[in-house]
Amino acid sequence: MTIKEMQERKRELGYSYAQIAELSGLPLGTVQKVLGGITLTPRYDTIMALESVLGEEQPMAVRESARPYNVKKQGEYTLEDYYQYPDDIRMELIDGVIYDMTSPTSAHQIISGFIHSKMLQHVLNNGGKCLPMIAPIDVQLDCDDRTMVEPDVLIVCDRDKVIDRCVYGAPDFIIEVLSKSTKKKDSVIKLNKYLNAGVREYWMIDPDKKKVIVYDFAHDEYPIIYGFDAKVPVGIWNGDLEIDFAEVYDHVRFLYERQKE
């Protein structure tokens, strides 16, 4: 099999990198690099190990590990499966489908952290009860066993929703910072999930296009698109806080300038 065929087979089977590593006996990092297109000339024995997993005949379950988990068809996974994955594997569960999450870029983290700090300072300065939070934090969005998401930034105003293991129910406000690997999921799948779950406001920040797409679900005003030169009001706080994206961009500008060199 070619690497492209293996990638397509992985998507067809719904396997995560961790599951393939368990089945093949290969290190997780090796699986990620080969199937992620980073290692262009993998060793023959690596290819054979991957092909044994991604070929036509498939085992029914991943072999036992420190924290065993079953291989199911996409759409059949539950929180029981989600909690059996190793803690160092980042993923989301949406309507029974497991989505691998790649590590965020530096720009992604800087933007998320900067905005979270502004929101937290606003709450502290005004004695508010809302809780700005930042990933990683699990959100059991629909209060069922088929969905667990991990937004980049969120605000929860009903503190009863914050329990020890997760946020149980829909946050009031969510930000996702888009990347090439998450753009479709964030702008289609999660957009609809957040709307239907009762999230009041959802921002998608596109660092590549320097755009902010705002969905004010509570007031049926969406989408509104801003550039990185705009001050974007936080709707759930009636605009009492504005995020100045010119300031956000100044904070991360060095990364954009480095790309031009």
Side-chain angles (χ1 to χ4, degrees), residues 135-261:
I137 178 72
D138 282 343
V139 176
Q140 196 169 344
L141 190 67
D142 298 324
C143 302
D144 64 8
D145 69 344
R146 288 171 45 81
T147 296
M148 187 74 86
V149 295
E150 189 178 291
D152 292 319
V153 180
L154 59 149
I155 299 173
V156 180
C157 295
D158 180 358
R159 295 194 174 199
D160 287 340
K161 291 183 177 181
V162 181
I163 60 178
D164 186 56
R165 65 179 175 84
C166 70
V167 173
Y168 189 75
D172 295 85
F173 177 99
I174 286 177
I175 290 177
E176 298 284 7
V177 181
L178 305 182
S179 66
K180 291 180 180 179
S181 63
T182 67
K183 185 171 293 187
K184 181 178 179 179
K185 179 180 66 172
D186 291 341
S187 60
V188 178
I189 298 171
K190 293 175 81 172
L191 169 64
N192 286 289
K193 289 296 293 183
Y194 292 156
L195 169 62
N196 293 328
V199 174
R200 294 162 57 196
E201 186 170 357
Y202 176 38
W203 292 11
M204 289 185 289
I205 301 174
D206 189 333
D208 291 336
K209 295 184 178 179
K210 302 185 182 69
K211 299 291 183 183
V212 184
I213 304 96
V214 173
Y215 289 82
D216 186 349
F217 297 135
H219 298 97
D220 293 326
E221 295 178 3
Y222 52 88
I224 303 173
I225 302 175
Y226 299 89
F228 270 23
D229 57 351
K231 293 182 179 180
V232 182
V234 178
I236 65 165
W237 290 334
N238 299 314
D240 291 340
L241 173 67
E242 293 182 328
I243 302 298
D244 186 345
F245 272 84
E247 189 177 6
V248 174
Y249 181 68
D250 282 342
H251 194 60
V252 76
R253 181 190 299 272
F254 72 98
L255 288 173
Y256 288 88
E257 292 177 344
R258 187 177 297 161
Q259 292 173 0
K260 297 177 181 178
E261 294 177 356

Side-chain angles (χ1 to χ4, degrees), residues 27-93:
L28 176 59
T30 298
V31 175
Q32 291 173 323
K33 289 177 181 178
V34 173
L35 296 182
I38 298 172
T39 300
L40 300 179
T41 55
R43 294 168 50 182
Y44 176 77
D45 55 350
T46 299
I47 292 293
M48 291 298 99
L50 290 173
E51 190 167 320
S52 70
V53 174
L54 298 171
E56 291 302 318
E57 296 184 3
Q58 298 299 319
M60 295 303 294
V62 179
R63 62 184 173 83
E64 185 174 270
S65 63
R67 296 182 64 181
Y69 44 86
N70 294 324
V71 175
K72 299 180 179 179
K73 293 181 180 179
Q74 288 285 33
E76 296 180 353
Y77 289 97
T78 66
L79 288 184
E80 182 179 358
D81 304 302
Y82 179 85
Y83 283 124
Q84 288 178 347
Y85 278 78
D87 293 336
D88 60 344
I89 303 299
R90 299 183 69 242
M91 64 184 61
E92 290 182 309
L93 174 68

